[in-house]
C-alpha cells in the first residue's frame, strides 16, 4: 500500500478499546475470559457434533460450520487486540490490517448466508418433514456451506483490496480496536464516494438478501406451527426456531447498525461498542443458545462425559 508521497510499509495505529485504568483493566480481563470461553464452547460444540452419531444431521452439520466461523472470527480480532494492550503497542502493519479486513468480511459475510441456509433447513424440517431427507441431502448441505464461504471470500477480497489501494497521506490513527472497513475509509485522502456506494451495495447483497430469506422461512414456519394439531410438536418446533431467531437477531441487528447507517449518524465510540458485541460477545453466545435450549445437544454432552 502506498500513501500520497509514495512511501510504502507505514504502519497504522490502532487506538484500541481500553486504556490502562482499573475499570478498563477489569473489562479487558472480562474480554479475555469471554474469548477463552468462546473458543472452548465452540470447540466443544464441533466435537460433540463430530463424535455423536445422533447429531449427524444437516442441521447440526450447518451448526458445526457456524461454530467454526465464530472461532475464526473471534481469533481474528482478540489476539491482536490483547497483544497490543499487554505490550502497550498500537501498531499494525498494512498486511496485518488487510488480513483482518479480509478475514472479518469473509467470515461475517459467510455467516450471513449460513444463517439463511440454517433457516431453510428448519423450514424444510417443519413444513415438509416427509421430504426432508430428499430436500436437505448431503450434496445440498455441502453446496450451501461452500457457497457461504465463497461469497464471503469474494466480498472480503474485493473490499480489502480496494481499501488497501487508497492513499493515506494524513493521520494513520484508526480509532478502533481492529481494522474495520468503515474506519479505514474515514482516513483515506481520496474521493471514496464510489467505493462507499459499492460497499453499501455489498451490504444489501450480503445482509438484506439473506435476511429476507430468513424472514420468509420463519414466516412459513410460524404459519405451519399455528396449524399444528399437536401442542407438543408445535412447542418443540417453536423452541428450536426461537434459538435460531435469537442468533439471527443478535448477529444481524449489530452488524447492520455499523454497515447500513448513514455516515452522518455514526459515532466512533458507539461503533466500537457495537463492533465488540458482534465480534467478541456473539461468538460466545451462539453455543450457549444452542446448547442450553437443545435437549439433543445436552444429551450428547451427557453421553460424551459418561464415556
Amino acid at each position: 500500500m502506498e500513501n500520497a508521497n509514495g512511501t510504502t510499509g507505514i504502519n497504522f495505529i490502532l487506538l484500541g478499546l481500553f486504556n490502562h485504568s482499573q475499570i478498563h483493566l477489569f473489562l479487558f480481563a472480562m474480554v479475555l475470559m469471554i474469548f477463552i470461553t468462546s473458543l472452548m464452547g465452540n470447540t466443544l460444540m464441533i466435537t460433540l457434533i463430530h463424535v455423536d452419531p445422533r447429531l449427524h444431521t444437516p442441521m447440526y452439520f450447518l451448526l458445526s460450520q457456524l461454530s467454526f466461523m465464530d472461532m475464526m472470527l473471534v481469533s481474528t480480532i482478540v489476539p491482536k487486540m490483547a497483544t497490543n494492550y499487554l505490550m502497550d503497542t498500537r501498531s499494525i502493519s498494512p498486511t496485518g490490517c488487510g488480513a483482518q479486513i479480509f478475514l472479518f468480511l469473509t467470515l461475517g459475510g459467510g455467516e450471513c448466508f449460513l444463517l439463511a441456509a440454517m433457516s431453510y433447513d428448519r423450514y424444510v424440517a417443519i413444513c415438509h418433514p416427509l421430504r426432508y431427507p430428499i430436500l436437505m441431502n448431503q450434496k445440498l448441505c455441502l453446496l450451501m456451506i461452500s457457497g457461504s464461504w465463497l461469497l464471503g471470500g469474494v466480498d472480503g477480497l474485493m473490499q480489502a483490496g480496494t481499501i488497501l489501494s487508497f492513499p493515506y497521506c494524513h493521520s494513520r490513527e484508526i480509532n478502533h480496536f481492529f481494522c474495520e472497513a468503515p474506519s479505514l475509509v474515514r482516513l483515506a485522502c481520496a474521493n471514496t464516494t464510489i467505493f462507499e456506494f459499492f460497499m453499501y451495495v455489498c451490504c444489501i447483497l450480503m445482509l438484506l438478501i439473506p435476511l429476507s430469506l430468513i424472514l420468509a422461512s420463519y414466516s412459513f414456519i410460524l404459519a405451519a406451527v399455528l396449524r399444528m394439531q399437536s401442542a407438543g410438536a408445535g412447542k418443540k418446533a417453536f423452541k428450536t426456531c426461537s434459538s435460531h431467531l435469537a442468533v439471527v437477531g443478535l448477529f444481524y441487528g449489530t452488524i447492520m447498525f455499523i454497515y447500513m447507517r448513514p455516515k452522518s449518524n455514526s459515532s466512533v465510540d458507539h461503533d466500537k461498542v457495537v463492533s465488540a458485541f458482534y465480534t467478541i460477545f456473539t461468538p460466545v453466545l451462539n453455543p450457549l443458545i444452542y446448547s442450553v435450549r437443545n435437549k439433543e445437544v445436552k444429551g450428547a454432552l451427557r453421553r460424551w462425559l459418561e464415556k
Side-chain angles (χ1 to χ4, degrees):
M1 180 179 55
E2 298 184 359
N3 69 4
N5 297 321
T7 306
T8 60
I10 299 177
N11 289 351
F12 290 102
I13 305 297
L14 290 170
L15 297 185
L17 190 60
F18 305 116
N19 56 39
H20 290 276
S21 64
Q22 289 291 328
I23 184 66
H24 278 215
L25 187 61
F26 171 76
L27 291 173
F28 172 74
M30 290 293 294
V31 166
L32 275 187
M33 288 180 61
I34 291 169
F35 169 65
I36 294 168
T37 305
S38 176
L39 291 182
M40 292 175 61
N42 285 294
T43 301
L44 179 61
M45 184 68 74
I46 293 170
T47 303
L48 290 176
I49 292 170
H50 178 71
V51 301
D52 196 308
R54 301 183 192 186
L55 301 183
H56 292 177
T57 63
M59 183 183 98
Y60 291 107
F61 185 47
L62 294 171
L63 180 56
S64 68
Q65 287 295 307
L66 180 67
S67 292
F68 182 63
M69 285 183 175
D70 281 339
M71 284 177 61
M72 286 191 65
L73 179 62
V74 76
S75 298
T76 299
I77 308 300
V78 176
K80 178 60 179 175
M81 181 189 74
T83 301
N84 281 4
Y85 184 80
L86 293 172
M87 298 183 67
D88 201 21
T89 60
R90 295 181 175 184
S91 68
I92 183 170
S93 67
T95 302
C97 202
Q100 275 198 338
I101 293 171
F102 169 71
L103 288 171
F104 170 73
L105 291 173
T106 298
L107 295 165
E111 196 159 321
C112 289
F113 287 102
L114 187 64
L115 289 171
M118 292 173 72
S119 70
Y120 174 74
D121 170 77
R122 290 300 83 204
Y123 159 72
V124 175
I126 294 169
C127 299
H128 303 283
L130 298 179
R131 300 175 62 197
Y132 182 77
I134 299 171
L135 295 176
M136 279 301 296
N137 54 63
Q138 187 178 17
K139 183 179 179 181
L140 180 61
C141 280
L142 290 173
L143 282 174
M144 289 194 295
I145 289 169
S146 301
S148 298
W149 281 101
L150 179 63
L151 290 169
V154 169
D155 179 51
L157 189 62
M158 288 192 301
Q159 292 205 43
T162 306
I163 288 171
L164 292 180
S165 70
F166 286 138
Y168 296 90
C169 48
H170 302 300
S171 173
R172 285 177 173 258
E173 291 188 346
I174 304 171
N175 193 0
H176 215 308
F177 59 94
F178 74 102
C179 288
E180 192 171 26
S183 300
L184 263 79
V185 170
R186 294 190 188 104
L187 300 181
C189 56
N191 187 350
T192 60
T193 306
I194 295 175
F195 175 72
E196 287 179 49
F197 175 75
F198 164 74
M199 193 162 62
Y200 196 77
V201 171
C202 282
C203 288
I204 292 174
L205 295 174
M206 305 295 288
L207 293 174
L208 294 187
I209 292 178
L211 183 60
S212 300
L213 295 173
I214 291 169
L215 294 176
S217 296
Y218 283 112
S219 297
F220 286 119
I221 289 171
L222 180 61
V225 168
L226 293 175
R227 290 196 303 267
M228 285 182 178
Q229 301 294 326
S230 170
K235 185 178 179 181
K236 182 180 178 181
F238 182 78
K239 192 173 183 180
T240 302
C241 293
S242 63
S243 299
H244 294 196
L245 283 172
V247 171
V248 169
L250 287 169
F251 183 76
Y252 273 92
T254 51
I255 207 166
M256 286 175 71
F257 180 84
I258 295 293
Y259 282 88
M260 299 208 70
R261 269 182 318 159
K263 196 175 180 181
S264 57
N265 295 341
S266 63
S267 166
V268 175
D269 291 333
H270 290 165
D271 286 358
K272 285 199 286 187
V273 173
V274 175
S275 295
F277 198 89
Y278 65 75
T279 56
I280 299 171
F281 296 107
T282 302
V284 78
L285 291 175
N286 286 350
L288 291 175
I289 289 171
Y290 281 107
S291 60
V292 171
R293 297 178 60 85
N294 192 308
K295 289 182 180 180
E296 291 175 331
V297 173
K298 288 190 284 189
L301 178 60
R302 194 183 310 112
R303 289 188 294 271
W304 187 63
L305 291 174
E306 288 171 357
K307 289 181 181 179

